[in-house]
Amino acid sequence: MAKSLYIAEKPSVAQEFAKALSPSFRRYNGYLENGETVVTWCVGHLVTMSYPDAYDPALKRWSLDTLPFLPDTFKYEVIPSSAKQFAVVKELLSRSDVETIYVCTDSGREGEYIYRLVEQMADVHGKKRLRVWIDSQTEEEFRKGIREAKDLSAYDNLAASAYLRAKEDYLMGINFSRLLTLKYGRTLEGLLRQDHVVLSVGRVMTCVLGMTVRREREIRDFA
């Protein structure tokens, strides 16, 4: 008998989808199932971009000579702490009795990215894929989202923008963190009296840190 597979972003949301679909689910390790439906979940991100040493072991050592790091093709890997749930999701995605996949990750770019990476790593082919897009987590909204689910391809542009943003974040973080640490790390080690200092740079983190510093200076200068 053909079954539908629902994949949520979090276990709690998966439980709510299951309640909206049917009260008669049996719980298994990492998923719920009844005669017609399977419901499973990610635990946030299951897949991430690989560090430079996955491309070349020599890149594990930080050096100005290897910067900037700009790979032609990006590599991805399963997050070790999430490997068990990824294996569950991959097996469900590959089951011969699963014909339709309902993507129920959070409605937005990040939720889209989370599922697309899982599908990419699980090498899913030949399945009908529908995107459930909801604005609130109520039983009525869940049912409406399922009823009005669109083909996943309708969200390809959203997925493309998510991949692009992730690559931008990755390249900025990897290259500037290494550059600034190599240039100023030893000076800061002496000033802070620490054995090892890493200057972490990120698209969001660095901006927020800058705002915090500016505000702290305003407070200290207030007379």
Side-chain angles (χ1 to χ4, degrees):
M1 181 179 181
K3 293 192 174 186
S4 296
L5 172 63
Y6 292 76
I7 301 180
E9 188 168 321
K10 309 174 189 72
S12 59
V13 179
Q15 293 279 0
E16 294 303 315
F17 266 102
K19 284 169 59 178
L21 288 162
S22 167
S24 57
F25 276 95
R26 183 175 177 183
R27 188 178 184 92
Y28 295 88
N29 185 21
Y31 66 100
L32 307 167
E33 185 170 2
N34 63 19
E36 301 176 349
T37 308
V38 184
V39 179
T40 190
W41 52 86
C42 303
V43 280
H45 282 274
L46 297 179
V47 179
T48 190
M49 302 178 78
S50 299
Y51 279 100
D53 54 285
Y55 298 78
D56 183 348
L59 293 175
K60 191 169 186 177
R61 178 180 177 274
W62 293 19
S63 170
L64 291 174
D65 295 334
T66 57
L67 296 178
F69 173 67
L70 301 169
D72 294 327
T73 303
F74 288 86
K75 294 185 177 183
Y76 300 83
E77 60 190 54
V78 177
I79 298 171
S81 61
S82 304
K84 185 176 180 180
Q85 185 61 19
F86 174 80
V88 171
V89 174
K90 179 180 179 180
E91 183 177 353
L92 294 173
L93 286 168
S94 304
R95 272 175 44 170
S96 58
D97 62 340
V98 170
E99 291 188 356
T100 304
I101 299 166
Y102 284 85
V103 181
C104 306
T105 47
D106 291 356
S107 301
R109 184 165 48 187
E110 196 66 17
E112 193 71 21
Y113 185 58
I114 285 173
Y115 172 74
R116 298 290 181 129
L117 286 179
V118 170
E119 182 177 280
Q120 174 184 313
M121 289 296 291
D123 196 26
V124 179
H125 296 287
K127 309 281 186 180
K128 182 178 181 180
R129 302 163 304 153
L130 298 175
R131 183 59 156 109
V132 176
W133 197 270
I134 59 175
D135 295 320
S136 63
Q137 294 185 9
T138 64
E139 192 168 313
E140 181 181 350
E141 185 71 10
F142 284 135
R143 289 176 177 169
K144 178 183 176 184
I146 293 167
R147 188 172 60 250
E148 298 179 356
K150 298 179 181 179
D151 191 272
L152 186 64
S153 62
Y155 298 87
D156 283 350
N157 286 341
L158 181 67
S161 71
Y163 272 92
L164 183 60
R165 185 181 70 168
K167 290 173 182 177
E168 175 192 15
D169 289 352
Y170 176 88
L171 292 175
M172 175 177 285
I174 291 292
N175 286 295
F176 282 99
S177 294
R178 292 190 174 203
L179 174 63
L180 294 179
T181 299
L182 289 167
K183 293 285 285 183
Y184 304 111
R186 288 190 176 180
T187 300
L188 287 174
E189 287 170 7
L191 292 172
L192 299 174
R193 298 180 182 178
Q194 295 184 10
D195 293 333
H196 186 63
V197 171
V198 173
L199 289 165
S200 296
V201 178
R203 177 181 58 87
V204 176
M205 175 181 64
T206 304
C207 294
V208 172
L209 178 60
M211 292 168 63
T212 303
V213 170
R214 283 195 299 271
R215 184 57 178 163
E216 178 63 23
R217 286 175 175 170
E218 289 174 359
I219 293 170
R220 293 184 180 187
D221 293 340
F222 180 75

